[in-house]
Amino acid sequence: MSLEQIYIANPDFPDRYISPEKLFYYLEENFSDSIEMIGKSFLQKPIYKMTIGTGTINVLAWSQMHGNESNATHAMLDLLVTLQQSEKLKDELFAKLKLDFIFMLNPDGSEKWTRLNANGIDLNRDFHHEASTEIKFLKNTVASGDYDYALNLHEQRTIFTTNGIHPATLSFLAPSEDVERTVTENRKKCMAVIGEVYQHLKEMIPDHIGRYSDEFYPASTGDNFIKGGLPTILFEGGHFVDDYTRKETRKYYTIALYYTLKAISRLDSGTDGWEIYAEIPENRETHYDIIYRNVKLNTPHECILDIAVQYRETKEEGKNDISFIPYVMEAGDVKKRKGWLEIDCTGKKFVSEAKYPKLDAEVNFTIED
């Protein structure tokens, strides 16, 4: 029996949006013996850390450093309910390792579905300044624990593919420690884990696994943790075709988290197979959500162009889940990009009060026969 055979999504969290209060209640009701509050956000929301496992290999992971990236929180919630179906898999996984998982590091941003915290700060670029309350709790946790690995869990936009055709449903990174991108021993430890996970996932979702850019970011959390000696692996959950609510991504994110922990348990800081990491294709920025092709505008002179549209995700008052609002990103020759949805407008009417689509503005036109 494998995890992917018994995988189930946590039924208490069916939507992509996770209410912080609902999460807090769920953790307190079901895992009160396994959680502790490591601090409170700027708006005084609790930040919980769960501890599971009895092994000697210590792993720290955190989700929703960016509030509008819920897949990692889902993955941990799904992993917990899935493993309830198999004590054997659970015992095998947590006999050698101990996992500390920080749920929703940025609960204020998570509530509003924003990348930034309540002070407008990107926690992932606040490592040195410590202008945010929340980054201090993460750094204090790292400093107070004897961790062998860290998992920095994120999501990426729908624009990324692995080969210009298939979406990068999951991308991984062994972050650089310097601008030269030196392949250090700590990076090899991360690469070995990622390589092992890649071997599993490429059989399930071939051509959907990517490698994130290893450009060194001096203010980034993961880059600084690995520079300080802690092997840190970046996850990026991305798009799956026709899956804007990311239910498929959520499933594979959970499976990837499981196999990452298994690989960490097996490798135990070893670097066997680290070279496989180089086989993973690098992310490519190739797509928009929608491209309207051959649009004839209502202008005195003939003007035919392409219009590229990208969804922006917002949490609207009174709705349980997020909404997808289309915005114009490009107008003109967009032949270098593809659309997950392409609409040929040849012979159709561009209907709008404006003559031209306005860039970086909500779509205010329709295409009619």
Side-chain angles (χ1 to χ4, degrees), residues 264-276:
I264 287 172
S265 176
R266 190 191 73 80
L267 287 163
D268 194 4
S269 296
T271 59
D272 292 349
W274 69 271
E275 301 91 346
I276 295 170

Side-chain angles (χ1 to χ4, degrees), residues 231-281:
T232 303
I233 296 169
L234 175 72
F235 274 57
E236 293 280 356
H239 187 52
F240 196 90
V241 174
D242 297 328
D243 181 38
Y244 281 92
T245 57
R246 300 207 168 178
K247 286 182 168 56
E248 287 297 301
T249 303
R250 166 181 178 169
K251 176 175 74 174
Y252 292 115
Y253 208 122
T254 306
I255 294 168
L257 178 60
Y258 170 76
Y259 280 113
T260 297
L261 295 173
K262 282 200 71 173
I264 287 172
S265 176
R266 190 191 73 80
L267 287 163
D268 194 4
S269 296
T271 59
D272 292 349
W274 69 271
E275 301 91 346
I276 295 170
Y277 178 80
E279 298 176 11
I280 306 172

Side-chain angles (χ1 to χ4, degrees), residues 59-84:
V59 183
L60 175 67
W62 57 94
S63 71
Q64 283 183 271
M65 169 175 268
H66 294 141
N68 59 350
E69 299 176 0
S70 61
N71 254 168
T73 304
H74 277 125
M76 187 61 185
L77 293 169
D78 290 359
L79 183 62
L80 291 170
V81 297
T82 299
L83 288 176
Q84 286 175 1

Side-chain angles (χ1 to χ4, degrees), residues 177-224:
E177 300 180 36
D178 52 39
V179 293
E180 292 80 16
R181 310 182 190 192
T182 307
V183 179
T184 61
E185 282 303 302
N186 276 337
R187 290 196 74 196
K188 286 183 180 179
K189 291 178 184 179
C190 298
M191 291 173 179
V193 172
I194 294 168
E196 195 162 310
V197 174
Y198 173 63
Q199 297 283 65
H200 287 285
L201 289 175
K202 73 176 183 179
E203 303 302 322
M204 287 179 253
I205 43 173
D207 301 314
H208 285 68
I209 309 302
R211 178 158 49 97
Y212 209 75
S213 167
D214 66 349
E215 178 185 352
F216 178 69
Y217 293 95
S220 175
T221 302
D223 299 50
N224 280 285

